Amino acid sequence: VQRVKAAQLGLTEDNVAHAILLGLSGTAQVQPVYWLNPNYGIEYLIDVFTPQSAINSVAQVNSMPITVGPSASDQILANVATIKREDIPPVVSHYNVQPVIDIYGGVDGSDLGSVMTKIRPLVRQMSKQLPRGTTINIRGQAETMLSSYVGLGVGLVMAIVLIYFLLVVNFQSWLDPFIIITALPGALAGVVWGLFLTQTTLSVPALMGAIMSMGVATANSVLVVSFARDNLRSGMTSIDAALHAGFGRIRPVLMTALAMIIGMLPMSLGLGEGGEQNAPLGRAVIGGLLMATIATLFFVPVVFSFMHRRYKAPLSIQTQSFTQ
């Protein structure tokens, strides 16, 4: 095959062994040449190139013989082209069809959020010195982290709003659901304190733990407010109704919170392989429930007694209470 193609391509026997490669595919950088096998009718693609060992210097490339045009005589490459060394990126990456230069950075010994806090001022400073049409974009795990935080933050706010409207439908009142959700700021404060005391950075599992603690805090607060409403309608004053609700519901509230806290305690320790990944969730739940329980037993009754200070029981209930 090499002798046949050497005759067709005008090559001598001396350089045919290292100048012709018979392959099944070529590249766009090489002009394809096809050879039809007359015996079988199969077409083969032949790429003609010079071995790397023959062009290991600029001088050898300049002295390479070429033929310009079908009727022109042979000459060297230096007569028709200028070759010089230049430093270019070995790999050209593209993002959104545009060429980009990727700068990779690994985070070691610190959290991603604090590293991004230090990088953003540098990016803003360098953006002012870039030529027209060039931008700096932060991608990778930082972009994923930001989108996750935004999504969970919106989900947290929407959870509070949906809880409030669901309680409005259940209690047929706008005031009592507001009293119930006053325990949620205590739960969020407990999440922050729990992460701060354990030196745990804010993460997606920690935000999920915050949402979980809000659900348990809302359930305990509903229990206290429902009991206080029954006491208020039975003829008690707002202060007495709140006090009796706090004392009467302290056991179920503590049992619910302790069951959740004890269940999350092994997870918060981060023991075992990969335990540190879910440890922020347990620590956020424990911190949120501790503060939410205190707010449910002490703060919510105070808010209830203040909001219902002008409530007057129906006359029939007042008369019944006076007779008893």
Side-chain angles (χ1 to χ4, degrees):
V1 174
Q2 290 181 351
R3 291 191 179 91
V4 172
K5 291 307 301 174
Q8 294 181 0
L9 298 175
L11 300 176
T12 62
E13 291 285 343
D14 297 334
N15 59 5
V16 68
H18 60 79
I20 298 179
L21 174 67
L22 179 63
L24 300 179
S25 64
T27 64
Q29 298 176 354
V30 180
Q31 183 177 1
V33 177
Y34 296 94
W35 172 65
L36 179 62
N37 190 335
N39 297 328
Y40 303 102
I42 300 177
E43 198 174 60
Y44 293 93
L45 175 64
I46 298 178
D47 294 337
V48 181
F49 71 97
T50 302
Q52 294 292 330
S53 59
I55 50 173
N56 53 10
S57 66
V58 177
Q60 289 181 346
V61 175
N62 286 327
S63 61
M64 181 184 302
I66 62 172
T67 301
V68 181
S71 60
S73 59
D74 294 342
Q75 56 182 322
I76 61 176
L77 181 61
N79 295 337
V80 296
T82 302
I83 300 176
K84 60 181 180 179
R85 294 182 181 272
E86 287 187 356
D87 295 331
I88 61 173
V91 178
V92 179
S93 303
H94 291 79
Y95 182 74
N96 287 339
V97 190
Q98 297 181 346
V100 298
I101 298 176
D102 293 326
I103 300 177
Y104 297 94
V107 179
D108 187 15
S110 180
D111 61 282
L112 184 59
S114 60
V115 173
M116 291 304 303
T117 303
K118 298 177 182 178
I119 289 179
R120 285 194 181 97
L122 300 177
V123 172
R124 287 194 295 266
Q125 182 180 359
M126 290 299 299
S127 299
K128 300 177 182 178
Q129 305 175 8
L130 294 177
R132 181 177 299 178
T134 305
T135 58
I136 299 179
N137 297 324
I138 300 177
R139 298 187 288 117
Q141 292 185 356
E143 184 181 9
T144 304
M145 180 191 68
L146 181 60
S147 61
S148 299
Y149 282 179
V150 172
L152 286 175
V154 174
L156 189 64
V157 175
M158 291 300 298
I160 296 176
V161 174
L162 292 176
I163 287 173
Y164 177 74
F165 285 114
L166 181 62
L167 294 176
V168 168
V169 175
N170 187 27
F171 283 88
Q172 295 296 315
S173 171
W174 293 94
L175 181 60
D176 289 335
F178 175 77
I179 298 173
I180 292 172
I181 65 173
T182 54
L184 299 185
L188 294 177
V191 171
V192 175
W193 275 105
L195 297 178
F196 175 75
L197 293 178
T198 56
Q199 295 297 311
T200 305
T201 58
L202 184 64
S203 59
V204 173
L207 292 176
M208 294 176 61
I211 297 176
M212 293 175 60
S213 63
M214 284 198 314
V216 180
T218 303
N220 290 336
S221 185
V222 168
L223 188 64
V224 173
V225 172
S226 299
F227 199 75
R229 279 166 53 102
D230 295 338
N231 293 336
L232 191 65
R233 292 175 180 177
S234 64
M236 294 184 182
T237 62
S238 60
I239 297 178
D240 292 337
L243 288 176
H244 281 78
F247 283 112
R249 300 290 94 185
I250 186 172
R251 182 178 297 176
V253 169
L254 289 178
M255 289 178 62
T256 304
L258 286 176
M260 193 72 174
I261 291 173
I262 295 174
M264 287 293 175
L265 187 59
M267 182 184 295
S268 65
L269 298 177
L271 302 177
E273 185 178 358
E276 286 295 328
Q277 182 177 0
N278 296 323
L281 188 148
R283 295 166 187 173
V285 171
I286 291 175
L289 288 182
L290 287 176
M291 291 299 297
T293 302
I294 297 174
T296 300
L297 295 177
F298 296 97
F299 182 71
V300 172
V302 173
V303 176
F304 181 88
S305 62
F306 177 78
M307 291 295 182
H308 290 279
R309 65 186 183 278
R310 297 180 180 179
Y311 177 82
K312 293 182 179 180
L315 183 60
S316 59
I317 297 179
Q318 292 181 359
T319 304
Q320 182 179 1
S321 300
F322 180 76
T323 304
Q324 292 177 355

